[in-house]
Amino acid sequence: MSAVDLVTVGNDQYNEDTVDESMDLRGLSTIQSYVTDYIQYRVHLHNVYCPRLPEIPVSDDYRFELIRAVALIFEKKHAEELTNMVTTLCLNGRLTFQRYVEVVECFAHNDDDESNKQLSYGRLVALIAFAGLVAMKLCDLQLFTEVSMIAPYTSKFLHKRIVLTWPQDRRSWEDFFDRARTIIDKNEAEESEKVNLKSECNRWWLSIRALVIFGMFGIGAFTLVKTILKTR
């Protein structure tokens, strides 16, 4: 099955769910703009160019900056794990869109616990950060057509989960961005402390604190690692 076929199948499954996409096109457009912006931002930081990345309207919306910041914090705090994940996804030196789809779909059902089928704020951040890293790797491999599929697929996947689960779980974008601000503030305070630290003991303590910052979002990179291992 080709990457295009997978997108088509994913769209058919999406339309068959209880989500009435025609009633929430604005929501889909919103999440797609966030995902696309972060992918563009991450690729730009990597100093590579991708001619197939979709364009998004220029905006001074502060929410784009918050998502960029919190996703990058997540990536930095789990750099080794995430790098290993992308490496694991490379089959014979080739990272494919099909493989990405398998991981994202499996990630949503990583075990039988009903709570793990919800889209927590942490899962949202993890998947946006992961999409950015995958797109970056695809650019390195010059697989630009597949890069162009990452943003729309990830956006539709996230949008479906948001519509299906956030209302019943009392989650909202407003609450998400409030927590994102708190995480960013805590991270800035932590970075300031690191500058002044001198003892190994204190540096060790800060590393432990770094692991629990995303407890506010309820996700760790290890969950994505477990997912990738299950799809091998």
Side-chain angles (χ1 to χ4, degrees):
M1 182 179 289
S2 69
V4 174
D5 292 333
L6 277 168
V7 173
T8 301
V9 170
N11 289 345
D12 290 342
Q13 292 173 341
Y14 183 86
N15 290 330
E16 289 171 1
D17 273 317
T18 57
V19 178
D20 185 352
E21 185 176 337
S22 65
M23 296 293 290
D24 200 18
L25 289 176
R26 182 177 179 181
L28 176 58
S29 176
T30 296
I31 186 62
Q32 185 160 342
S33 66
Y34 293 153
V35 173
T36 301
D37 176 76
Y38 185 73
I39 288 175
Q40 290 176 328
Y41 172 69
R42 194 63 190 85
V43 168
H44 175 72
L45 288 181
H46 192 54
N47 292 319
V48 294
Y49 170 71
C50 178
R52 300 297 296 273
L53 278 177
E55 295 294 329
I56 59 172
V58 176
S59 173
D60 59 358
D61 191 331
Y62 70 93
R63 289 171 291 191
F64 287 96
E65 294 296 330
L66 289 177
I67 288 180
R68 287 181 180 186
V70 78
L72 202 58
I73 290 170
F74 181 87
E75 179 188 330
K76 288 181 177 179
K77 292 189 181 301
H78 300 286
E80 183 176 354
E81 294 164 294
L82 291 169
T83 299
N84 290 339
M85 287 159 50
V86 174
T87 300
T88 302
L89 280 173
C90 292
L91 302 177
N92 300 319
R94 182 178 176 83
L95 179 63
T96 65
F97 177 74
Q98 291 97 320
R99 189 85 170 101
Y100 177 78
V101 169
E102 291 173 6
V103 170
V104 171
E105 291 290 347
C106 187
F107 179 61
H109 307 90
N110 68 81
D111 55 43
D112 296 328
D113 185 350
E114 184 66 28
S115 64
N116 283 323
K117 296 178 182 178
Q118 310 305 310
L119 182 69
S120 68
Y121 298 142
R123 285 171 185 257
L124 175 67
V125 172
L127 283 174
I128 291 177
F130 186 56
L133 284 176
V134 170
M136 188 177 72
K137 184 64 175 180
L138 288 171
C139 285
D140 285 342
L141 298 173
Q142 297 188 342
L143 299 174
F144 300 126
T145 298
E146 303 208 357
V147 173
S148 69
M149 297 177 183
I150 295 294
Y153 172 78
T154 306
S155 302
K156 287 186 177 181
F157 176 85
L158 292 174
H159 176 251
K160 180 178 71 173
R161 307 299 297 184
I162 287 171
V163 173
L164 287 175
T165 69
W166 276 22
Q168 67 190 47
D169 295 332
R170 297 183 179 180
R171 293 190 175 103
S172 67
W173 282 113
E174 181 180 4
D175 186 41
F176 169 82
F177 286 117
D178 284 344
R179 297 192 185 206
R181 289 189 191 92
T182 301
I183 284 178
I184 293 167
D185 290 343
K186 285 181 177 293
N187 184 71
E188 290 177 351
E190 176 189 306
E191 292 299 319
S192 296
E193 284 186 61
K194 283 182 179 179
V195 174
N196 299 319
L197 284 178
K198 295 182 179 180
S199 74
E200 287 294 330
C201 179
N202 284 336
R203 280 197 290 271
W204 175 83
W205 172 240
L206 273 183
S207 68
I208 297 299
R209 285 180 53 191
L211 293 176
V212 301
I213 279 184
F214 271 85
M216 297 180 60
F217 273 169
I219 188 69
F222 70 89
T223 306
L224 272 170
V225 173
K226 181 173 68 174
T227 297
I228 289 177
L229 293 176
K230 286 176 63 176
T231 63
R232 293 186 68 177

